[in-house]
Amino acid sequence: MGLSTHVLDTMHGCPAAGMEVALYTTDGEAATLVRRFTLNHDGRSDGPLYDNSSLKVGTYRLVFDVAGYFKARGVDLPQPNFLNRVALDFGVAHTDQHYHVPLLVSPWSYSTYRGS
């Protein structure tokens, strides 16, 4: 349980393996870096970002390096590219529930939702 993420590359139809991600706690406009990590072969972190015992009620931010990922895949992006980093701000109200934050992304669009 706790907090997890997963990224799917909708341009290539595969997990976004190798994408760099940063996790922050937030308080208004202030953000504190918790950790940086690279997504594995399945487009996921290698474990929960927080387990149930360490996840706290509050607000968080995940920042995904979209441009860096697509450049590394050899995609010819215009300069400046449309998406650079995608930042998702979200709140955790119930620490006894699982919060899964997936990202579906291409160089030109993204979507997210609260998964399970």
Side-chain angles (χ1 to χ4, degrees):
M1 298 291 220
L3 175 64
S4 60
T5 191
H6 183 205
V7 181
L8 296 174
D9 171 347
T10 59
M11 179 181 190
H12 297 102
C14 63
M19 182 180 285
E20 299 290 326
V21 183
L23 171 65
Y24 298 84
T25 57
T26 60
D27 184 9
E29 294 300 314
T32 303
L33 179 66
V34 174
R35 66 186 276 207
R36 294 182 189 278
F37 56 97
T38 302
L39 299 178
N40 66 20
H41 69 282
D42 197 32
R44 301 173 186 271
S45 59
D46 284 328
L49 303 176
Y50 281 106
D51 60 24
N52 274 4
S53 63
S54 58
L55 184 63
K56 305 293 182 210
V57 171
T59 54
Y60 298 84
R61 176 177 298 145
L62 282 166
V63 179
F64 302 87
D65 184 7
V66 173
Y69 166 78
F70 283 107
K71 286 177 189 174
R73 293 277 325 240
V75 175
D76 185 21
L77 299 174
Q79 293 302 314
N81 46 291
F82 184 66
L83 294 176
N84 187 22
R85 289 181 183 84
V86 170
L88 301 178
D89 289 357
F90 59 96
V92 170
H94 304 283
T95 59
D96 60 332
Q97 298 177 8
H98 183 69
Y99 283 76
H100 183 64
V101 184
L103 180 69
L104 308 173
V105 69
S106 81
W108 304 278
S109 68
Y110 69 91
S111 65
T112 191
Y113 55 94
R114 181 179 171 192
S116 58

